[in-house]
Amino acid sequence: MKTCLITGGFGFIGSNFIRFVLEEKKDITVINVDKITYAANPKNLPDDHGNYKFYKTDIADKLELSKVFDENNIDYVINFAAESHVDRSIMDPSVFIKTNVAGTLNLLELSLKRSVKRFLQISTDEVYGSLGLTGKFSEKTPLSPRSPYSASKAAADMLVMSFFHTYGMPVLISRCSNNYGQYQFPEKLIPLVIINALNNKDIPLYGDGKNIRDWIYVLDHVKGIYSILEHGKAGEVYNIGGAAEMENEGIIKYILNKLNKPFSLIKYVKDRPGHDRRYAMDFSKIAGELGFLPDYDMEKGLELTINWYLNNENWWREILSGDYKEYYKTMYDYR
Ligand code: NAD
Ligand code: DAU
């Protein structure tokens, strides 16, 4: 048996990853450390049982975090925990530094002290900055973050790599493109579009709507992360992508068509400050070295996602009735 400490396990990608491990990898015990921020949902996962245990802990609180390391013999650490929404980082950057940078440093220091066998940092393509109409991000692309969120993730990546070079710690970094799928918090584009459309509510589209993201279905990301954990080379960065570039306007229209809703729901609103124009991933390294290729194309992934939101109305209605209402007002009412 191996013990894997997973941070941010009640969030979107973390919970999908934990479900995959608990279902498919019977030789791994999961320790989930989550602060339970607005983005977390404990209902995303089962209660504690034989090979799963949850700690309500803030990774930025080193003393509390050290107790988790004291109580468990941890082999692997995967750091999903983060403040993850670009728009929120523009409104209030400080918590992004606390969690994404200071929290990552705490995890690194404690993992080094306990001689953890592998430390995998879940990073993002946003650390590379913004592309024009051509080209792709490779692992060699210089870091050039442009939002407080991506700057905090880039800072964390640099700390992670410093622990490899300075202390010889067996670290790895994955950098993935935009995820979508089951259990994604409604503030992000795809669930926001599905939910607003189902409620016949305006869909805010930033700027000219021509920004491009490279989409990946969350279970493909999960598969890529597991392959890096198992077979990635320490000290290396691996890009993960879905080979599915789409303009925001195109994605929204696609979803509206699927839901039989009119395009008149689209409302062009003031652009996001510093809005990155295009992301596109060259993921030939993970494909060549670890055999990773996405299983889901956008059509299949969106079908599964739309159906999940249609079948799990209670999950998102509960979120919509809480603090999210205030957030939505502040973000969109006068945009
Ligand atoms: P999310 O916002 O859905 O979930 C984040 C989770 O981290 C929540 O459960 C939250 O409670 C927890 N958390 C936040 N601060 C914490 C703290 N101080 N201590 C402990 N737990 C804390 O995020 P997500 O979309 O699942 O993203 C997970 C990771 O993947 C992040 O590191 C993000 O940067 C990265 N990533 C996300 C995407 C994407 O498209 N969503 C793409 C590439 C990389
Ligand atoms: O690329 C990976 C990143 O993808 C992750 O690191 C982040 O954690 C994740 O939030 C995501 O960042 P984005 O900023 O690309 O995702 P978001 O869903 O916020 O926006 C996607 C695109 O849609 C972006 O161009 C902005 C636009 N958008 C977004 C919202 C919420 C709109 O036009 N309207 C909206 O209401």
Side-chain angles (χ1 to χ4, degrees), residues 11-13 34-35 37 58-59 80 82 84 99 123 149 153 179:
F12 164 47
I13 305 170
D34 199 302
K35 179 183 170 185
T37 68
D58 181 347
I59 60 166
F80 289 89
S84 69
T99 289
S123 186
Y149 162 69
K153 294 294 289 185
N179 285 222

Side-chain angles (χ1 to χ4, degrees), residues 7-15 33-41 57-61 79-85 95 98-100 103 121-125 149 153 174-180 183-185 187-188 215-216 221:
T7 67
F10 281 147
F12 164 47
I13 305 170
S15 63
V33 165
D34 199 302
K35 179 183 170 185
I36 313 202
T37 68
Y38 77 91
N41 192 338
T57 304
D58 181 347
I59 60 166
D61 182 340
N79 184 24
F80 289 89
E83 288 294 334
S84 69
H85 194 39
V95 67
K98 212 171 154 199
T99 289
N100 301 2
Q121 173 71 3
I122 306 302
S123 186
T124 167
D125 59 358
Y149 162 69
K153 294 294 289 185
S174 67
R175 294 192 181 129
C176 190
S177 57
N178 282 63
N179 285 222
Y180 65 97
Y183 298 98
Q184 186 165 31
F185 194 80
E187 67 192 351
K188 305 284 165 47
W215 295 94
I216 182 169
H221 187 191

Side-chain angles (χ1 to χ4, degrees), residues 292-303:
F292 167 85
L293 284 177
D295 289 328
Y296 298 84
D297 61 19
M298 197 80 189
E299 201 180 335
K300 184 70 194 156
L302 276 178
E303 184 192 325

Side-chain angles (χ1 to χ4, degrees), residues 93-321:
S94 62
V95 67
F96 284 73
I97 302 305
K98 212 171 154 199
T99 289
N100 301 2
V101 186
T104 300
L105 179 61
N106 288 340
L107 278 168
L108 284 165
E109 287 184 326
L110 291 166
S111 301
L112 179 66
K113 204 165 148 199
R114 310 300 152 115
S115 305
V116 158
K117 295 184 187 77
R118 276 166 112 65
F119 183 104
L120 173 50
Q121 173 71 3
I122 306 302
S123 186
T124 167
D125 59 358
E126 299 205 8
V127 297
Y128 296 123
S130 180
L131 290 166
L133 278 180
T134 56
K136 289 187 178 189
F137 297 133
S138 84
E139 291 81 356
K140 294 197 170 78
T141 304
L143 303 194
S144 181
R146 290 158 32 98
S147 72
Y149 162 69
S150 53
S152 71
K153 294 294 289 185
D157 283 12
M158 288 185 165
L159 279 171
V160 170
M161 272 309 159
S162 79
F163 271 62
F164 175 74
H165 293 295
T166 307
Y167 307 110
M169 192 169 144
V171 304
L172 302 118
I173 296 178
S174 67
R175 294 192 181 129
C176 190
S177 57
N178 282 63
N179 285 222
Y180 65 97
Q182 54 201 10
Y183 298 98
Q184 186 165 31
F185 194 80
E187 67 192 351
K188 305 284 165 47
L189 182 71
I190 288 182
L192 186 145
V193 173
I194 299 171
I195 291 169
N196 281 19
L198 290 175
N199 287 327
N200 298 310
K201 218 175 143 180
D202 282 349
I203 292 166
L205 177 55
Y206 298 168
D208 64 1
K210 306 284 182 216
N211 298 66
I212 292 173
R213 297 292 181 264
D214 184 354
W215 295 94
I216 182 169
Y217 185 58
V218 65
L219 294 185
D220 276 330
H221 187 191
V222 160
K223 187 181 74 164
I225 291 169
Y226 195 79
S227 73
I228 296 171
L229 180 72
E230 242 189 339
H231 300 299
K233 193 168 160 235
E236 294 288 321
V237 174
Y238 293 90
N239 282 354
I240 306 176
E245 285 185 55
M246 263 186 105
E247 283 182 354
N248 294 336
E249 191 182 53
I251 250 186
I252 295 177
K253 287 184 170 166
Y254 184 90
I255 294 171
L256 288 173
N257 268 333
K258 288 282 165 197
L259 292 171
N260 287 319
K261 298 287 178 177
F263 292 170
S264 57
L265 284 178
I266 298 174
K267 188 179 166 210
Y268 287 83
V269 299
K270 196 162 155 242
D271 209 355
R272 172 187 279 173
H275 195 177
D276 290 339
R277 192 64 175 168
R278 175 172 165 258
Y279 303 144
M281 287 302 245
D282 170 355
F283 57 93
S284 53
K285 178 174 170 179
I286 189 172
E289 288 184 19
L290 309 182
F292 167 85
L293 284 177
D295 289 328
Y296 298 84
D297 61 19
M298 197 80 189
E299 201 180 335
K300 184 70 194 156
L302 276 178
E303 184 192 325
L304 291 169
T305 305
I306 291 171
N307 285 338
W308 190 84
Y309 283 88
L310 283 171
N311 294 328
N312 290 275
E313 212 175 311
N314 288 345
W315 185 90
W316 54 264
R317 285 227 179 268
E318 213 170 294
I319 295 171
L320 257 45
S321 64

